[in-house]
Amino acid sequence: MNVRRDDIEAEYRAVEGELLGRWPETRLEPSRDRIEDLMDVLGSPQRSYPAIHITGTNGKTTTARMIDELLRALNLRTGRYTSPHLEEMRERICLDGEPISRERFVEVYRDVQPFAELVDKRQPFPLSFFELITGMAYAAFADAPVDAAVVEVGLGGTWDSTNVIDGQVAVITPISLDHTHLLGDTVEDIAWEKAGIIKAEALVVLAQQPLEAAQVLLRQAAEVGATVAREGIEFGVMDRQLAVGGQQLVIKGLSQEYDNVHLPLYGAHQAHNAACAIAAVEAFLGAGQGGGTLEPEIVREAMAAVRSPGRLEVVRRSPTVLIDAAHNPGGALATAEAIAEEFAFDHLVGVVAAMRDKDVRGVLEAFEPVLDEVVLTRNSTQRAMPVAELAAVAAEVFGPERVIAVDRLDDAIERAVGLAEEGVADASLGGTGVLITGSVVTAGEAGRLLRR
């Protein structure tokens, strides 16, 4: 048995290597020609199940997890596709709430591989990593088969590989500036790109948006004949109270109100994600068309079961160590507000490793009010901002006396924990903590280190 397990592990690592040998997610050629060609030769697996399609700048993965939990509480078999992954590539493709096994990941890749090679030969550019793994997900869902797919956009919307699917429900989480070198320099430009997932006669679940984004999204919905449900009007958070291990909510859905909903996640932004998720499932079930009613107990059961690794996740106590994947100013601000509201730290040390193509100054400025000192480091990717460069920006934001530079992430975490422990004597009832953040990759690598 151990030999077989070793063989599967070796095959899985080999497949990872083959996938990573393709164009990375950060290299884009704005066309759906390759993914459409792949879907065609695979027999259009993405058309064999209904889907909920999710875009936005922040909150997509957590909202997808919430929708998944709700659908499974209704005894539906689900496929969930999210990106990027935290620790393992197979996390991107989930069936019934769990990542597919290494063995199944290899099987799906080997099934799709010959068709991918055919597409590679007849297209000007070969399939990218993201295009191929998207094809794998859609094929795995069809083979399962699933009753519903919950699909998170990789980047943008219109040209995203996932957009070969026609979601009967489109969910658009809050839009802000991110990936500006690819999507545009304004919120309006980014909104136009993300509006591309809105399909004819779909129901659009629209989170609270900046005015310029909302105008774009509403215009696109009107042009294609989609129906819009707006947070704060058709649905929303009616009441929110802090509770042990999370928060207690009252949510106004599209069909009724759901009270006494316990959500074991921190932050007002997660309450808004929950409202969008509930509205999305109601829409999926036919809200506004004679259906859409959810049993309140099913909503309570599903929301109480939601987990979102790497999103203000407590991985250790004494001192408290939190991991958060915030990588843009909007996400960082939501995390900072949640920390200030829900964790009464007297002394909080940050560990930040960020990507050089991000608005690093904006992220640091969002965290500055809640961090007493910050340890700057880097993760393992080539996109990581060099430590000295990151520390220089941090010194301008925090002041040099609050900034420490450490070359390796594991050493940076150890240094931060030491600083937090030194602060115990000065802390009152609030205690001390460490926040590790700056990118999804940083969150994933920190999780691997701390869960050993």
Side-chain angles (χ1 to χ4, degrees):
M1 290 296 291
N2 288 338
V3 173
R4 178 59 183 148
R5 196 157 49 239
D6 290 344
D7 288 344
I8 292 169
E9 180 67 17
E11 288 182 67
Y12 177 69
R13 296 304 172 193
V15 165
E16 278 189 322
E18 290 179 34
L19 283 164
L20 292 172
R22 291 179 172 270
W23 275 8
E25 288 172 285
T26 52
R27 183 177 179 184
L28 301 174
E29 193 271 326
S31 166
R32 293 203 305 265
D33 291 346
R34 293 175 300 279
I35 187 67
E36 287 174 351
D37 197 357
L38 181 62
M39 291 296 98
D40 186 52
V41 297
L42 288 173
S44 299
Q46 82 281 13
R47 303 199 187 284
S48 62
Y49 38 79
I52 298 175
H53 204 181
I54 307 165
T55 191
T57 301
N58 291 303
K60 297 186 295 295
T61 298
T62 302
T63 303
R65 286 176 166 272
M66 292 172 172
I67 292 169
D68 194 352
E69 287 286 355
L70 283 162
L71 292 173
R72 287 189 293 114
L74 294 167
N75 294 317
L76 296 176
R77 185 161 205 209
T78 60
R80 184 177 79 239
Y81 182 55
T82 56
S83 61
H85 58 274
L86 272 176
E87 297 185 20
E88 282 195 68
M89 197 179 287
R90 65 189 180 94
E91 295 170 13
R92 295 171 182 245
I93 306 173
C94 292
L95 290 173
D96 295 324
E98 295 294 331
I100 61 175
S101 67
R102 289 175 176 81
E103 186 172 13
R104 182 62 185 139
F105 189 91
V106 171
E107 288 173 352
V108 175
Y109 175 78
R110 296 300 179 204
D111 287 344
V112 174
Q113 183 183 20
F115 298 98
E117 290 173 352
L118 175 63
V119 172
D120 288 344
K121 289 175 183 176
R122 61 194 198 187
Q123 290 289 335
F125 302 101
L127 288 158
S128 68
F129 162 79
F130 189 74
E131 287 167 336
L132 183 46
I133 202 168
T134 299
M136 289 170 57
Y138 288 162
F141 297 163
D143 189 61
V146 301
D147 299 312
V150 184
V151 177
E152 175 188 344
V153 160
L155 181 67
T158 300
W159 302 112
D160 189 73
S161 302
T162 64
N163 203 29
V164 291
I165 206 163
D166 290 331
Q168 65 188 70
V169 178
V171 181
I172 304 179
T173 65
I175 294 173
S176 58
L177 294 177
D178 196 12
H179 301 291
T180 52
H181 60 299
L182 299 170
L183 300 179
D185 296 327
T186 68
V187 168
E188 185 177 15
D189 288 341
I190 293 172
W192 274 118
E193 179 64 24
K194 295 183 185 294
I197 75 162
I198 300 174
K199 305 296 170 62
E201 300 182 7
L203 196 148
V204 185
V205 174
L206 197 60
Q208 291 179 340
Q209 303 287 348
L211 178 60
E212 57 269 39
Q215 289 173 335
V216 167
L217 299 168
L218 291 170
R219 193 176 309 144
Q220 174 66 11
E223 286 181 5
V224 301
T227 302
V228 178
R230 299 155 294 180
E231 184 183 6
I233 301 176
E234 283 81 18
F235 71 95
V237 180
M238 302 297 291
D239 187 57
R240 174 176 171 269
Q241 302 292 330
L242 301 186
V244 176
Q247 50 195 306
Q248 206 78 4
L249 308 174
V250 178
I251 303 287
K252 175 191 175 186
L254 299 179
S255 57
Q256 63 178 309
E257 193 172 283
Y258 306 94
D259 62 4
N260 199 31
V261 176
H262 178 71
L263 181 66
L265 301 176
Y266 302 104
H269 60 295
Q270 299 292 22
H272 294 291
N273 289 339
C276 287
I278 291 169
V281 174
E282 288 178 315
F284 184 79
L285 296 176
Q289 299 174 334
T293 301
L294 284 166
E295 290 292 334
E297 196 51 45
I298 284 178
V299 172
R300 295 185 192 108
E301 173 192 330
M303 288 295 131
V306 169
R307 300 293 180 269
S308 195
R311 278 73 181 175
L312 262 185
E313 179 187 7
V314 179
V315 291
R316 286 196 180 178
R317 296 284 187 184
S318 192
T320 299
V321 178
L322 300 162
I323 294 175
D324 191 83
H327 55 275
N328 56 51
L333 183 61
T335 295
E337 289 174 348
I339 288 171
E341 178 185 55
E342 305 195 34
F343 295 88
F345 291 122
D346 289 314
H347 191 86
L348 181 63
V349 182
V351 175
V352 178
M355 302 300 189
R356 62 177 178 269
D357 57 349
K358 294 293 184 179
D359 180 2
V360 173
R361 180 180 293 275
V363 169
L364 292 172
E365 287 174 347
F367 281 127
E368 189 276 333
V370 299
L371 297 180
D372 293 281
E373 49 204 329
V374 62
V375 181
L376 286 310
T377 187
R378 61 168 293 152
N379 55 48
S380 65
T381 64
Q382 293 183 343
R383 289 173 57 212
M385 179 176 280
V387 176
E389 188 178 335
L390 182 56
V393 177
E396 295 175 2
V397 175
F398 286 80
E401 69 282 355
R402 293 164 64 193
V403 173
I404 299 165
V406 176
D407 288 334
R408 289 166 43 119
L409 179 60
D410 53 352
D411 293 336
I413 294 171
E414 186 176 348
R415 181 70 178 274
V417 169
L419 290 168
E421 289 173 339
E422 288 172 14
V424 169
D426 299 324
S428 60
L429 292 177
T432 63
V434 173
L435 171 67
I436 307 166
T437 190
S439 84
V440 177
V441 174
T442 301
E445 292 182 358
R448 281 195 295 273
L449 288 168
L450 294 167
R451 292 190 188 96
R452 276 181 198 161

